[in-house]
Amino acid sequence: ALDAAVAAVGPGACLTAVGDAVADVAEPLGYGIVRQYCGHGIGAVFHQPPLVQHHRNRDALELKPGHVFTIEPILTEHAAATLRVADDGWTVFTQDGARAAQFEHMVLITEDGREVLTVPPDDDDDGASAS
């Protein structure tokens, strides 16, 4: 779902493409999409607009070069999972114990597409330059 959402964005695309792409992957498989959490813009403030919904929505915004935001869908094992927050105020789990998964990328919209800013280096790359 994350890969599909990343592939759906670029200059001129609508932000709603993120939710559509996630739903196109999750719904046929019977997975739920958590609506209580969303991605966000990155800029002068870390969590800033736009909110990036991971379900079908009408939050229309034309993406333009320079936009930076996160795509971070949370999928649940059941289509209608109820969420609870643990006493630590951070951990979120499904009330019925169904499994859930969340992955995230930060994406920059470029003149000719997108760049994923959170791709880890190759395992063979130790960061040292060859000399």
Side-chain angles (χ1 to χ4, degrees):
L2 176 59
D3 290 345
V6 169
V9 300
C14 186
L15 189 61
T16 58
V18 170
D20 290 340
V22 171
D24 286 347
V25 171
E27 290 172 350
L29 298 171
Y31 295 129
I33 303 166
V34 172
R35 293 172 174 250
Q36 294 93 324
Y37 296 92
C38 60
H40 51 83
I42 302 289
V45 176
F46 183 64
H47 291 98
Q48 68 179 40
L51 298 179
V52 181
Q53 304 293 339
H54 302 109
H55 55 85
R56 296 188 199 284
N57 64 85
R58 294 185 179 148
D59 296 346
L61 173 70
E62 181 182 349
L63 298 174
K64 298 182 184 212
H67 282 159
V68 180
F69 53 90
T70 64
I71 300 174
E72 44 189 298
I74 304 172
L75 302 184
T76 59
E77 191 172 20
H78 302 125
T82 300
L83 301 181
R84 296 276 186 213
V85 178
D87 291 338
D88 65 10
W90 179 257
T91 306
V92 178
F93 58 94
T94 59
Q95 181 174 332
D96 66 357
R99 291 177 284 189
Q102 187 264 341
F103 293 92
E104 174 177 346
H105 273 312
M106 185 184 312
V107 180
L108 164 67
I109 301 301
T110 63
E111 292 290 335
D112 58 353
R114 81 214 50 83
E115 179 181 349
V116 176
L117 302 175
T118 46
V119 174
D122 292 339
D123 291 338
D124 295 338
D125 182 9
D126 65 4
S129 61
S131 26

